Amino acid sequence: MSGYILAIDQGTTSTRAIVFDGDMKIAGIEQKEFTQHYPKPGWVEHDPEEIWASVVSTVNKAIETAGITAKDIAALGITNQRETVVVWDRKTGKPIHNAIVWQDRRTASYCEKLKRQDLEKLFTRHTGLLLDPYFSGTKLSWMLANVKGARARAAKGELCFGTIDTFLIWRLTGGKSFVTDATNASRTLMYNIGNNAWDEDLLEILRVPAAMLPEVKDCAADFGVADTSIFGAAIPILGVAGDQQAATIGQACFERGMMKSTYGTGCFALLNTGTDMVRSKNRLLTTIAYRLNGETTYALEGSIFIAGAAVQWLRDGLKAIKRAADSDGLAEKADPMQEVYLVPAFTGLGAPHWDPDARGAIFGLTRNTGPAEIVRAALEAVCYQSRDLLDAMHKDWRNGSGKETVLRVDGGMVASDWTMQRLADLLDAPVDRPTILETTALGAAWLAGSRAGVWPDRKSFAKAWARDRRFEPEMDEKTRTVKLKGWRDAVRRTLSTE
């Protein structure tokens, strides 16, 4: 059997399809952006039909670029933007409303209402999540309440709910498979991550009929077969994982204590805690890292809202740089005697603070402060926030110092050598950048390829992981301590409440 594996990486702003060959190298890749809809302030939607069209077109183009046909593909893996909600008609497959995107904040007041009813502890105990509009459950509840006839139809079993992976699998299989995987289910606010089942108590609170929920499978499983009419051959769908979990797999973070961080528009860090479901006391999320062969591996997750977006702000807002790549050079020129701190709370602060009302601020400005110092502060902010996450994770798990952690990184910002070195310095831990930066797609591909028996098993895949460069800490402890103290003071002043 051919070793070619197809990965569909359905993201928030674009869809990518990547064909990997038998050596796990990229043979063909295609990307297509799609429309972002903002019907009201704080609302974000996608057209599921446009997403579907982008998947079909990118897959066909990637197969063509690879110089193969669909018959050469052994299996297909899917990774997707998490928490985004789609509801469609079970008979026709037609969505009843635009998809409500993970970034959407329309259910903030509903989340506050549930908190006032003292229900957050229940949700957190069962799902590992906090009551926040970020997650799928309250979005689905809103759709059932606001789309005419939706709740009654859902109760009759006429409607299907899914995250993007479920919707794509339904379409790919012609409605034959109504399934999701454990990682995507774990982000819905409706899935009990302890007993791996939809939670009846939470469904009742959210008024969601169980009849509209998909079957939950392992990350590597038989999810159905893509119909021949779509790509020209029947392709088994054998791997599914939400994007951050797929990146964790693609980084081969299979051992307890291994940590990955993805630096894109925002930043998502996951720490593998093995079979231990660690309950955070520091406002981190407890989530499913992956489920393989019926065994669940858990993770602590921290989310940073602004990472690469700060560099975009430097370029498009401040006009301090012309290209993102210019940030390294300016940061190197910054006056080392000036300690300038940028707290990038443009849309609030994420973990471990979870302060949606905080707003961005710059501290330490002098008459000598210029673009170089502000650019350096923006890059350092990503590193400081990562240190906050690492500290919180190790307070929750083993109470370690963090020095045993090696951070594996991916995402657009990791191309910046200056940022990665400063990250290692402020973490006081090594930072490893892999040779293959498409780790999210690679994780989905490995799930499918290993299930198909044409790619290595977990142990061999981990051995095959290759490092492009390791960044070792070079900063002395005194300097690090002073800088971290200054950062924590800046965050304290930025928080909306103390």
Side-chain angles (χ1 to χ4, degrees):
M1 183 182 289
S2 167
Y4 286 102
I5 301 296
L6 169 65
I8 295 172
D9 183 355
Q10 203 300 296
T12 307
T13 59
S14 68
T15 297
R16 287 185 303 167
I18 301 178
V19 176
F20 292 90
D21 64 20
D23 295 323
M24 297 185 287
K25 300 269 182 19
I26 294 175
I29 184 170
E30 182 67 14
Q31 181 169 349
K32 184 177 179 62
E33 293 187 355
F34 52 87
T35 310
Q36 307 293 305
H37 299 273
Y38 306 102
K40 292 184 181 181
W43 292 27
V44 189
E45 296 179 357
H46 293 156
D47 179 355
E49 297 291 358
E50 187 180 5
I51 287 177
W52 168 246
S54 71
V55 167
V56 175
S57 64
T58 54
V59 167
N60 283 323
K61 185 64 177 178
I63 291 172
E64 180 184 338
T65 302
I68 62 173
T69 70
K71 293 179 181 178
D72 298 313
I73 296 173
L76 185 165
I78 296 174
T79 182
N80 55 287
Q81 52 168 312
R82 304 177 303 175
E83 298 97 12
T84 296
V85 170
V86 187
V87 176
W88 64 95
D89 185 288
R90 189 181 291 270
K91 289 185 178 179
T92 67
K94 183 178 179 180
I96 67 168
H97 190 275
N98 271 349
I100 301 180
V101 181
W102 61 272
Q103 299 162 314
D104 190 283
R105 308 297 294 178
R106 76 185 67 186
T107 64
S109 60
Y110 182 37
C111 290
E112 289 303 317
K113 178 183 176 182
L114 294 172
K115 289 179 184 178
R116 289 194 299 272
Q117 295 172 354
D118 200 28
L119 290 170
E120 185 167 52
K121 289 181 181 178
L122 175 65
F123 277 91
T124 300
R125 187 166 66 249
H126 289 204
T127 70
L129 309 177
L130 301 171
L131 273 174
D132 191 272
Y134 177 25
F135 306 109
S136 309
T138 57
K139 301 179 193 297
L140 173 56
S141 186
W142 183 95
M143 205 179 288
L144 292 176
N146 288 275
V147 177
K148 187 177 180 180
R151 195 178 300 281
R153 294 183 64 200
K156 294 177 184 177
E158 296 176 5
L159 300 181
C160 295
F161 153 79
T163 42
I164 294 295
D165 59 302
T166 303
F167 176 67
L168 294 181
I169 294 169
W170 177 278
R171 282 291 179 89
L172 287 168
T173 63
K176 294 176 182 176
S177 292
F178 183 36
V179 293
T180 188
D181 85 294
T183 68
N184 278 294
S186 76
R187 311 297 295 189
T188 62
L189 212 60
M190 300 181 289
Y191 191 72
N192 191 309
I193 62 173
N195 60 23
N196 273 282
W198 297 112
D199 194 290
E200 293 181 4
D201 293 338
L202 304 184
L203 294 179
E204 183 177 351
I205 292 169
L206 296 170
R207 298 186 64 195
V208 172
M212 69 185 307
L213 303 178
E215 177 189 354
V216 182
K217 291 177 170 281
D218 287 355
C219 298
D222 297 329
F223 291 93
V225 179
D227 193 85
T228 306
S229 62
I230 301 173
F231 303 127
I235 306 174
I237 305 166
L238 300 182
V240 177
D243 53 9
Q244 301 310 318
Q245 283 92 340
T248 303
I249 294 166
Q251 290 277 35
C253 290
F254 294 127
E255 302 296 327
R256 288 159 55 98
M258 294 185 74
M259 181 179 176
K260 79 88 195 175
S261 194
T262 299
Y263 295 94
T265 301
C267 165
F268 297 87
L270 269 76
L271 174 70
N272 184 328
T273 61
T275 55
D276 295 333
M277 188 168 57
V278 177
R279 301 292 188 178
S280 178
K281 296 182 176 66
N282 295 278
R283 305 286 284 171
L284 298 175
L285 305 176
T286 306
T287 196
I288 293 177
Y290 49 84
R291 197 175 82 194
L292 298 172
N293 300 317
E295 181 177 89
T296 302
T297 296
Y298 295 95
L300 283 171
E301 177 175 331
S303 306
I304 297 170
F305 296 155
I306 301 295
V311 179
Q312 293 173 326
W313 173 71
L314 292 173
R315 182 191 65 196
D316 303 332
L318 281 191
K319 311 292 184 185
I321 54 176
K322 289 184 178 180
R323 301 174 304 129
D326 297 338
S327 58
D328 272 30
L330 268 178
E332 290 173 356
K333 295 176 182 177
D335 181 358
M337 300 305 294
Q338 291 192 54
E339 287 296 347
V340 179
Y341 294 93
L342 166 63
V343 183
F346 302 141
T347 56
L349 285 172
H353 310 288
W354 291 102
D355 185 349
D357 297 319
R359 288 297 175 263
I362 302 178
F363 299 92
L365 298 176
T366 70
R367 285 290 300 271
N368 289 329
T369 301
E373 287 72 35
I374 293 175
V375 168
R376 182 188 65 189
L379 297 181
E380 284 186 326
V382 177
C383 307
Y384 285 127
Q385 290 179 100
S386 297
R387 174 62 187 252
D388 288 346
L389 291 183
L390 186 66
D391 286 347
M393 285 176 172
H394 283 282
K395 286 177 184 176
D396 282 333
W397 189 66
R398 290 187 179 175
N399 295 315
S401 66
K403 289 188 177 181
E404 72 273 19
T405 299
V406 175
L407 180 65
R408 291 185 172 180
V409 296
D410 54 78
M413 285 196 79
V414 305
S416 167
D417 287 354
W418 190 93
T419 306
M420 293 301 100
Q421 182 57 55
R422 187 52 54 97
L423 180 62
D425 288 340
L426 292 175
L427 293 182
D428 192 20
V431 172
D432 282 354
R433 182 170 62 194
T435 55
I436 297 179
L437 295 178
E438 299 287 354
T439 54
T440 304
L442 180 62
W446 176 78
L447 288 169
S450 61
R451 176 77 178 180
V454 298
W455 272 25
D457 61 14
R458 192 187 325 189
K459 188 175 181 180
S460 298
F461 178 69
K463 285 184 178 179
W465 183 90
R467 183 174 64 215
D468 167 58
R469 178 174 172 183
R470 168 167 285 187
F471 296 86
E472 296 276 6
E474 296 176 354
M475 184 178 289
D476 65 84
E477 185 62 31
K478 181 179 179 181
T479 301
R480 181 184 303 109
T481 300
V482 169
K483 292 177 76 67
L484 288 171
K485 182 179 179 182
W487 165 256
R488 287 159 186 159
D489 181 59
V491 171
R492 180 185 59 79
R493 298 191 203 190
T494 305
L495 294 171
S496 63
T497 57
E498 293 189 27

